[in-house]
Structure formats: C-alpha cells, structure tokens
Amino acid sequence: ADVTEGSGVVGGIWQRYRYDWSEPGVVGLEVLDSNAFGKGSRWEYRVTPEADGGSDIALTIHRRPTSLKGRVVDLLLRLTGNRFVRQDLEKTVARLEGQRG
C-alpha cells in the first residue's frame, strides 16, 4: 500500500510510506517522500506470538532527517518518543482487540 500520513507536530510533518506485509509477522513502512525524513527512513513492526495467546510487538524506527524540521522532530522523538510511541501503539492494539469480540 502507498499511504501519506501526517501530524501537526512542529508545524506539520508528513511522510509517504510504502507498507509491506510480504514477510509473515512483519509490517514494514518505507519512507518514499517526506518534508522531514529522507530515503532510507523506515519503520518495522515485528509481531511474535506468545504462549498465553497474546503477541509481542517489537518496533524499530530508523529516521534520516533531511531538514531542520526533521532534525528537531528526530531529537524530540529520541528524548520522549519511546513513551509516546508505546502509548499510541497500546491504544491501537486495544481498539483492534475490541473489534475481535
């Protein structure tokens, strides 16, 4: 899938991604275009089933800032991003779990 997503953070950041589900248990997002991050930037979600029926989700993010805005956002995410990304992912998983039942 080819998707453009954005945020109002730091005056507006947008990224156009290519989503890739070709490897079982892995969702990759490759940055195709952005006003803050360049080629080679990517996200990877790796989902591993757990014995109790749940799943472990490991997220790896690699950003290559291409502008001052990108460098500022990269720094902010390095300082506070783990908590923000974790909370956002937990909300998404909770919504998905609610759709199952």
Side-chain angles (χ1 to χ4, degrees), residues 28-95:
L29 289 75
E30 174 190 0
V31 174
L32 302 176
D33 193 15
S34 172
N35 67 340
F37 302 104
K39 292 203 185 261
S41 299
R42 63 188 179 281
W43 296 54
E44 181 182 273
Y45 294 88
R46 190 167 291 273
V47 182
T48 307
E50 293 184 331
D52 66 357
S55 297
D56 179 66
I57 303 172
L59 171 60
T60 303
I61 304 171
H62 181 74
R63 292 178 297 273
R64 292 187 176 198
T66 57
S67 65
L68 176 59
K69 186 184 291 192
R71 288 190 289 280
V72 169
V73 170
D74 186 55
L75 176 63
L76 291 173
L77 288 172
R78 287 178 189 273
L79 295 174
T80 64
N82 284 345
R83 183 174 44 118
F84 172 76
V85 171
R86 176 185 294 272
Q87 289 172 346
D88 192 52
L89 184 57
E90 287 173 349
K91 287 178 190 175
T92 299
V93 169
R95 281 193 304 265

Side-chain angles (χ1 to χ4, degrees), residues 1-38:
D2 187 324
V3 178
T4 301
E5 299 177 2
S7 169
V9 175
V10 191
I13 298 289
W14 61 267
Q15 297 177 95
R16 191 174 126 234
Y17 296 109
R18 174 179 296 124
Y19 279 71
D20 178 6
W21 295 272
S22 61
E23 182 181 340
V26 178
V27 177
L29 289 75
E30 174 190 0
V31 174
L32 302 176
D33 193 15
S34 172
N35 67 340
F37 302 104

